[in-house]
Amino acid sequence: AQPHPGPTITVKDQTATKGGSLSFTFTVESERNKLDNTKVHLAKASEDRKFTDARFTVTAVADSDKKVTATVTGSDLTCDDQSGYMAYYDKIPTPPPHSQSRHKRQGPPPGGFKLTVSGC
């Protein structure tokens, strides 16, 4: 049986300037379950696909039971901030087992996006 899909996270790749600030929003929507805005998080991916909490501030506001809009803000961006990130709900999704990794070019996982810092 397929696990029921989690909420849909809509986020775009972001570009910012070294030393500058960052502000963008992403949405979390669920067909089936009431969303809890305290469970919306942002993690930074490292080279070895480990995730740590992103240093940016995430403010999530429930638009309705089925939709949450999160605003991400950060300042004094550094080259270290240029990375892949994962917006997620409740828990970080586990990557698919390696049996599927032959089809590598699927793009980022749901909620995944890149932050490019110009000047780095």
Side-chain angles (χ1 to χ4, degrees):
Q2 291 287 55
H4 73 82
T8 304
I9 297 178
T10 306
V11 63
K12 294 185 172 66
D13 286 349
Q14 302 297 323
T15 306
T17 306
K18 184 179 177 184
S21 59
L22 175 70
S23 179
F24 67 94
T25 61
F26 66 87
T27 58
V28 181
E29 295 174 88
S30 173
E31 295 290 303
R32 112 187 357 221
N33 298 324
K34 182 175 194 270
L35 294 171
D36 177 350
N37 61 318
T38 64
K39 292 185 174 181
V40 176
H41 303 287
L42 183 64
K44 179 181 177 187
S46 60
E47 294 297 314
D48 53 2
R49 299 187 92 101
K50 298 265 192 299
F51 287 99
T52 54
D53 285 340
R55 69 177 193 88
F56 307 126
T57 303
V58 180
T59 308
V61 176
D63 300 326
S64 68
D65 285 352
K66 305 286 189 198
K67 182 176 180 187
V68 172
T69 299
T71 302
V72 179
T73 52
S75 57
D76 299 322
L77 295 176
T78 67
C79 294
D80 189 50
D81 292 323
Q82 178 167 288
S83 182
Y85 288 85
M86 168 85 78
Y88 66 97
Y89 182 78
D90 198 17
K91 294 184 194 63
I92 292 179
T94 48
H98 285 300
S99 61
Q100 294 165 11
S101 63
R102 275 173 304 193
H103 312 292
K104 203 64 173 160
R105 292 281 144 245
Q106 291 168 328
F113 67 97
K114 277 204 162 32
L115 170 59
T116 304
V117 180
S118 58
C120 294

